[in-house]
Amino acid sequence: MTERTHVHAFGDDALGDLDATGVAAAIASREISAREAAEAAIARAELVDPTLNALALRDFDRALDAADSPPHGIFSGVPTFIKDNTDLDGLPTGHGSQAVHPKAKRKTEPFADQYLSTGMTMLGKTTLPEFGFNATTEFESRPPTRNPWHTGYSSGASSGGSAALVAAGVVPIAHANDGGGSIRIPAAACGLVGLKLTRHREVQSLQGKQMPVDIVSNGAVTRTVRDTAAFVAALEKYRPAKKLPAIGTVSGASDRRLRIGLITDSIVGEPTDPETAAAVLQTAELLSSLGHEVSEFAVPTDHTFARDFLHYWALMAFSTQYFGKMVTGDAFDRSKTDALTKGLARNFLRRPWLTPVSIRGLKRSEVKYREAFENLDVVLSPVLGHTTPELGFLSPAAGFDVMFPRLVNYVSFTPLNNAAGGPAISLPLGRTTTGLPIGVHFSAAHGDERTLLELAFELEAAQPFARIQDQTQTAG
């Protein structure tokens, strides 16, 4: 086994142990300045990133200038990062790919405007695997992004860079987005809160507008439920969602007792590993002790769902491989994409005729999902099929035929919410025997983020989340 090492940047500076809400309050009360918060975050990034490899692009000079006069917002002056698949005026977008030769963008895309309307100070961009297709932030020919809880393990993906920096204490909140679990998976790997919103709750992504089924959700990863709740309230204030019930400000648990369906195994046929299953079952026991009604439940989807989603995944890779210039510019070089992108594109070309069938299947999953919540309030399940893997296990350098079956088994729970459009949250309620976080997954009906946040507040109070700065070095 590799020696267990954990890395964090928490210390006695302007950020201290504060979450985003705490940093914003300290700035508002003039206990610290926004510039001091930015300077502390930059120093923390420089301290840990040589190990974590979570930064795709530094924009520190502009950040310090902006921090001298931060915009108003719920997180005014709080330092943050944005994932490097999102356009910001004046900065390139690399998409995590060697095939892209990015140039500075001339405008900021709509969700980034919504994200920054919170008043945060943007310090730069975070790493992701190539085009966000993988569930680990690893690459064929350059160093991986490492998990701060144990640097020999994956930080998850595709928002792995953001999750690593938040978990390590560099910033209290960072941008993430989710096309098959990419907010919830790195949150689970790095011991964070990761909420995927109901489809179109936030401003629709540019990529999502082009999809026959929009599976992409934008959001953030945080260390506390109150930060996630405040962030969601700020998004709603910026632009209330049409055709969805308002969430409002959620500040604590509800007295309402919930009907909760329990799922332990996924639809791909592989049983959940014992440590992950134990974390879910222990959470079910905790929920029962709090007065909620928990009963076993079947996955609310057709048996063809896995096939349909895998084909849609392959369609996205095919579109990237052969039409990447339309998205990233004329300098796109498809010969330099990694083994996962190339392998997925090949899979699509073997059965292109499945496309209309798969699209219909994914649209049908929304109907099945809605029906599931006619008699339930929440569904409890694992986030992932097994605990966080060591680096290399899912690396594209392992070759498509080796890593892809592993990837399918690993991400077997999260994609349903992307296809069906329902909200879901990962909470760090479990630990492995070696101390790595295990995320537990909660889904709710379309538009019912409020129930998820209220339940998250209750569980955080009943079983406080582990903090990386409280851990000691042990053997892995």
Side-chain angles (χ1 to χ4, degrees), residues 208-262:
K209 288 182 178 180
Q210 301 169 356
M211 292 178 167
V213 180
D214 183 1
I215 61 173
V216 177
S217 175
N218 274 283
V221 285
T222 73
R223 295 192 295 267
T224 63
V225 176
R226 73 173 184 169
D227 277 359
T228 295
F231 174 74
V232 170
L235 296 188
E236 190 170 58
K237 181 178 179 181
Y238 177 87
R239 193 223 63 173
K242 298 178 180 178
K243 300 180 181 179
L244 289 174
I247 302 170
T249 300
V250 183
S251 57
S254 168
D255 292 334
R256 178 183 170 215
R257 299 299 84 186
L258 304 174
R259 300 163 300 170
I260 299 174
L262 170 64

Side-chain angles (χ1 to χ4, degrees), residues 83 85 95-96 127-140 144 154-161 177-183 185-186 309 313 316-317 338-341 344 384 389-400 402-411 414:
K83 187 174 170 181
N85 62 356
H95 295 281
T127 54
L128 70 154
E130 184 168 273
F131 297 106
F133 291 144
N134 207 341
T136 185
T137 307
E138 297 182 60
F139 312 95
E140 282 187 335
S154 169
S155 66
S158 64
S159 308
N177 49 30
D178 191 318
S182 296
I183 294 172
I185 292 168
F309 194 89
W313 191 4
M316 290 188 292
D338 70 18
L340 178 57
T341 302
L344 284 168
L384 293 154
E390 291 188 77
L391 290 168
F393 185 75
L394 297 176
S395 171
F400 182 79
V402 172
M403 60 85 65
F404 188 64
R406 295 173 175 177
L407 181 58
V408 171
N409 290 334
Y410 185 51
V411 300
T414 53

Side-chain angles (χ1 to χ4, degrees), residues 239-293:
R239 193 223 63 173
K242 298 178 180 178
K243 300 180 181 179
L244 289 174
I247 302 170
T249 300
V250 183
S251 57
S254 168
D255 292 334
R256 178 183 170 215
R257 299 299 84 186
L258 304 174
R259 300 163 300 170
I260 299 174
L262 170 64
I263 296 172
T264 53
D265 289 326
S266 74
I267 59 175
V268 300
E270 290 291 320
T272 301
D273 79 296
E275 286 194 300
T276 301
V280 174
L281 292 173
Q282 287 164 8
T283 301
E285 291 176 3
L286 175 60
L287 289 163
S288 294
S289 73
L290 294 170
H292 299 286
E293 179 187 334

